[in-house]
Amino acid sequence: MMELSGALAAFALTLLLAIIISVSRNYYLKRSQTEWLLNLRHSVSILIFSGITTAILNIISIIDTIFIVCALIIAITLCFSLVEACNAAALHFFNESVFSVYRHLPVSLFGRDTLKSTRAYFRQYFPGRYFLWTFLLTLAYASIGTTTSSPASAVAGGAAIAFLGLGLRYFGPAPERPSVVSPVEQLYLLADAPDVKVYPLADTARNALRLPQPYSYAAPKTIILVILESAGAYVCSSRDPQKLLSGELAALSGDPKEWIIPSNVVTNSSCTDVSVPSIVTGCGAHESIEKLHKLPLIFDLAKARSYNTAFFTSSSLKWANFDKFFQGSAIDKRVTGDTIGLPFINDVTVDDYEIAEQAADWIANQTGGILAVIYFNALHVPFQSVSKCNIPSELTVRQNKAAYVIEECHKLLFNALRISGRYDDALIFSVGDHGETLGYDGSDESGRMARTIKLTPHVLHPLFIMKPPANLPNEMRLNLQNNQNCLLASVDIAPSIADVLYAGPDPDLKYAGHSLFQKIPKDRIIYTLSINEWRSWSKGAVAISQAERKTIIDYQTNELCLHIGPGYSDSDRVRGGDRDQLLAVAFSEHIVRSSISVIFKQKLGYGGVVQM
């Protein structure tokens, strides 16, 4: 009887610990009570680990040496608290447990060359206060729990809690499933869609260049591509919430009327390790990595026309194999977060402003043709908030601070272009690689669902502005003006640069995108994917865009698809019809079909993952 009461006491005490930690995690995640109840599956893991921890703590209490017992108790509570804190951070930024996403992370936290990255990740993302609270709470529990019951009864109570957690996880109430499946959606469920095999980015020989002769006109001697990490079309300027950052950047040039700001641009991916390679090669996210590795980078196109080339980025390239991907390209000047000798201050990036200074200095001192890619990262979560450019003290929201840094960086670049006499003749792009959910309304905590699995408008539509060169032929200028209201994509940048350089890949390596200086088909289709042949994840997201219509397959709702655009009605949900046209077209694309099939099966509870 005493053993039973001891086991019940251990059970109750462990359950209390699990409840307190679960409520604490909910407070850290800033989740409402309703959200917490809908995500109980993430709290079940606390029951499991609390039960296991209880059992282990009481087993080691049998040891006679008090010093060893104390050391082991501290070590175990540290491990438990560390795992829980990492899990809470993963839930905060990805809405997935750390056990689901760890193997998909594009960086090795403990590699020989990544200790600096590891420190940066922990400093910016690790919830230190939550970890300390969990550790002290678990330590207090351990000191009480190991003295109130015999080891055997405490182990029994802990085991009972662990089994309760497992039971709730595997036999608890199932989430709401989609109630209607259209005929085309059914095809995706029934299709024999092999898993998408994922391969790393690599340094490969890119000899598939085509250089027709002669030039059709005097190509611009200055080509600047600014890539803005996580900059969506709806990001506001630093000081005026009523003014978009895109308009502010055009105004900072001193010539805003010369800039084109298209109205309907979509990204090729909500993930940097897919979108950036697509931007610099013109390879679609739905295409093979074999094609990606054959297509010339825009640096190679420019170097073939005897331009000086440069790549400046505040980011470390020691993640997702970016260092290898850019290694073999024809880049004359290369400055990265790994080589500049500055500390990481935002994710694994250094101060954007210091990178902009170096880029501006290089531009101002070059002769002949130049192509420069400058990749800024201030708008990546958790947002750059300190800088050499002295961010005004009245800016208190981190995203506004980051926007200010981006504005100041563009001022430096525009000034260098004007001083060197290059501005008028320059072809300039400033584009986001994708948008972001966290902070889209100006706060730091407004969106907690990761962009990897939710293609909201704030994610799908990137910032996109461009200035054509002053000597652009009239026909190309007219095409550009007519295209600004068409569906455009970030994958159109490389074909556009190739067009003005009168260069490009071999004919058998046709670009997925179109030159903005040629007529763009009104019925073109753009695929946006978060997983493909060079990126894996536990869950994916797909968007199929055509003109103003979009079919989105992700985890925003319990429906299998979201259909957005003119001509769609609720009744189409039942009968299919026009709403399923884009799904029907996408079925012929292997990577798109496999990704959609996996998402459908996961949402319907069939299982299925994209394998490494």
Side-chain angles (χ1 to χ4, degrees):
M1 198 68 181
M2 291 291 292
E3 291 297 327
L4 178 60
S5 62
L8 289 174
F11 180 92
L13 194 59
T14 307
L15 182 61
L16 179 63
L17 172 70
I19 291 173
I20 294 175
I21 293 178
S22 181
V23 171
S24 301
R25 181 201 281 180
N26 192 56
Y27 178 78
Y28 160 70
L29 295 175
K30 295 182 172 61
R31 302 268 170 100
S32 67
Q33 193 68 17
T34 302
E35 287 179 297
W36 178 63
L37 291 173
L38 290 174
N39 289 277
L40 271 177
R41 62 190 179 91
H42 293 314
S43 297
V44 165
S45 62
I46 298 177
L47 284 176
I48 298 172
F49 282 100
S50 296
I52 293 172
T53 302
T54 296
I56 295 174
L57 287 172
N58 282 278
I59 288 172
I60 66 172
S61 67
I62 300 173
I63 300 173
D64 292 333
T65 307
I66 188 66
F67 176 78
I68 296 177
V69 171
C70 292
L72 288 174
I73 287 176
I74 291 174
I76 291 170
T77 52
L78 270 174
C79 290
F80 173 83
S81 304
L82 181 63
V83 170
E84 169 55 23
C86 290
N87 200 33
L91 288 168
H92 178 64
F93 289 104
F94 302 119
N95 207 52
E96 289 285 321
S97 74
V98 69
F99 310 104
S100 297
V101 303
Y102 178 76
R103 71 187 183 92
H104 300 286
L105 292 175
V107 63
S108 172
L109 294 182
F110 304 105
R112 184 181 62 182
D113 299 323
T114 55
L115 290 179
K116 184 180 178 182
S117 302
T118 302
R119 290 194 297 269
Y121 277 124
F122 269 84
R123 183 175 66 249
Q124 295 168 85
Y125 297 116
F126 187 72
R129 292 181 180 179
Y130 178 69
F131 164 75
L132 181 61
W133 162 251
T134 304
F135 172 68
L136 294 175
L137 184 67
T138 309
L139 193 62
Y141 159 80
S143 63
I144 297 172
T146 54
T147 58
T148 56
S149 304
S150 68
S153 60
V155 168
I161 283 288
F163 279 112
L164 174 63
L166 289 169
L168 289 173
R169 183 174 182 84
Y170 292 104
F171 301 106
E176 183 182 349
R177 305 294 186 190
S179 57
V180 178
V181 179
S182 74
V184 176
E185 292 169 346
Q186 190 69 31
L187 282 177
Y188 281 91
L189 291 170
L190 297 175
D192 180 18
D195 291 333
V196 176
K197 300 299 181 182
V198 181
Y199 306 91
L201 295 174
D203 173 20
T204 58
R206 301 174 185 271
N207 300 317
L209 273 170
R210 179 174 56 89
L211 298 172
Q213 294 290 346
Y215 276 86
S216 60
Y217 73 102
K221 291 301 181 184
T222 304
I223 301 174
I224 305 295
L225 169 59
V226 179
I227 302 176
L228 303 175
E229 172 63 40
S230 300
Y234 305 108
V235 174
C236 296
S237 65
S238 62
R239 298 175 185 271
D240 185 356
Q242 303 302 316
K243 186 175 185 179
L244 294 177
L245 180 60
S246 54
E248 179 66 18
L249 296 181
L252 290 174
S253 72
D255 231 348
K257 292 182 179 179
E258 291 295 317
W259 288 75
I260 302 292
I261 306 180
S263 59
N264 186 18
V265 182
V266 296
T267 181
N268 293 98
S269 179
S270 59
C271 305
T272 300
D273 34 346
V274 176
S275 61
V276 168
S278 287
I279 288 172
V280 297
T281 63
C283 183
H286 64 290
E287 297 185 301
S288 70
I289 192 171
E290 180 182 8
K291 181 176 180 180
L292 175 76
H293 282 157
K294 287 181 179 179
L295 280 168
L297 274 67
I298 55 176
F299 303 104
D300 305 318
L301 299 176
K303 180 52 62 177
R305 290 302 190 191
S306 300
Y307 280 51
N308 292 327
T309 60
F311 181 37
F312 299 89
T313 178
S314 56
S315 175
S316 167
L317 295 185
K318 293 178 180 177
W319 68 282
N321 275 13
F322 269 171
D323 52 347
K324 294 182 176 63
F325 179 74
F326 286 103
Q327 183 174 323
S329 189
I331 302 173
D332 298 318
K333 175 76 171 180
R334 192 184 312 242
V335 179
T336 75
D338 303 308
T339 63
I340 196 172
L342 295 172
F344 291 152
I345 59 173
N346 182 54
D347 195 71
V348 286
T349 68
V350 301
D351 184 358
D352 274 349
Y353 190 79
E354 302 222 34
I355 291 294
E357 284 184 325
Q358 296 218 10
D361 182 68
W362 183 84
I363 291 169
N365 289 284
Q366 294 300 301
T367 58
I370 64 169
L371 179 143
V373 175
I374 304 110
Y375 175 27
F376 294 132
N377 290 267
L379 285 166
H380 188 283
V381 173
F383 307 116
Q384 183 177 335
S385 59
V386 294
S387 175
K388 183 180 178 181
C389 66
N390 297 321
I391 300 171
S393 58
E394 62 265 24
L395 297 179
T396 57
V397 176
R398 289 180 67 99
Q399 190 183 44
N400 292 344
K401 294 178 180 181
Y404 179 83
V405 174
I406 294 297
E407 292 163 3
E408 293 300 301
C409 289
H410 278 73
K411 285 181 183 179
L412 287 177
L413 298 178
F414 292 147
N415 186 55
L417 289 167
R418 290 195 179 279
I419 288 176
S420 59
R422 291 181 174 273
Y423 180 85
D424 290 339
D425 182 49
L427 169 61
I428 308 173
F429 291 92
S430 188
V431 301
D433 63 335
H434 52 71
E436 185 58 87
T437 52
L438 279 155
Y440 67 75
D441 67 355
S443 74
D444 293 332
E445 305 292 345
S446 60
R448 292 180 296 272
M449 286 293 285
R451 52 181 156 78
T452 56
I453 61 172
K454 284 188 69 174
L455 296 178
T456 64
H458 291 90
V459 173
L460 189 59
H461 297 288
L463 182 151
F464 194 108
I465 63 173
M466 65 173 294
K467 186 198 81 69
N471 68 336
L472 192 69
N474 289 335
E475 182 179 357
M476 298 177 78
R477 186 177 297 275
L478 180 61
N479 287 334
L480 176 61
Q481 292 172 348
N482 291 336
N483 289 335
Q484 62 182 316
N485 294 319
C486 295
L487 174 66
L488 306 181
S490 46
V491 78
D492 294 331
I493 294 171
S496 302
I497 292 175
D499 196 11
V500 298
L501 288 172
Y502 206 45
D506 286 342
D508 60 334
L509 288 175
K510 184 179 179 181
Y511 281 126
H514 296 271
S515 169
L516 301 176
F517 305 111
Q518 306 300 327
K519 293 181 180 179
I520 291 181
K522 302 292 184 182
D523 61 348
R524 72 179 303 198
I525 291 178
I526 299 296
Y527 298 107
T528 303
L529 295 96
S530 64
I531 52 179
N532 68 350
E533 280 200 359
W534 62 91
R535 184 185 189 276
S536 68
W537 200 250
S538 57
K539 291 181 178 178
V542 178
I544 312 165
S545 303
Q546 184 182 53
E548 297 295 329
R549 301 191 305 164
K550 294 173 180 64
T551 293
I552 299 173
I553 305 96
D554 63 2
Y555 295 86
Q556 294 185 57
T557 70
N558 287 323
E559 289 290 336
L560 289 184
C561 300
L562 291 176
H563 300 275
I564 303 170
Y568 291 149
S569 64
D570 291 339
S571 60
D572 290 329
R573 173 70 270 166
V574 178
R575 70 171 189 267
D578 291 344
R579 297 184 70 161
D580 286 333
Q581 284 184 353
L582 295 181
L583 277 178
V585 173
F587 194 81
S588 62
E589 296 287 348
H590 160 59
I591 295 174
V592 181
R593 181 175 70 249
S594 296
S595 297
I596 293 175
S597 177
V598 168
I599 297 170
F600 281 1
K601 290 174 181 178
Q602 286 178 338
K603 295 183 81 169
L604 286 168
Y606 295 176
V609 293
V610 176
Q611 300 290 342
M612 287 290 286

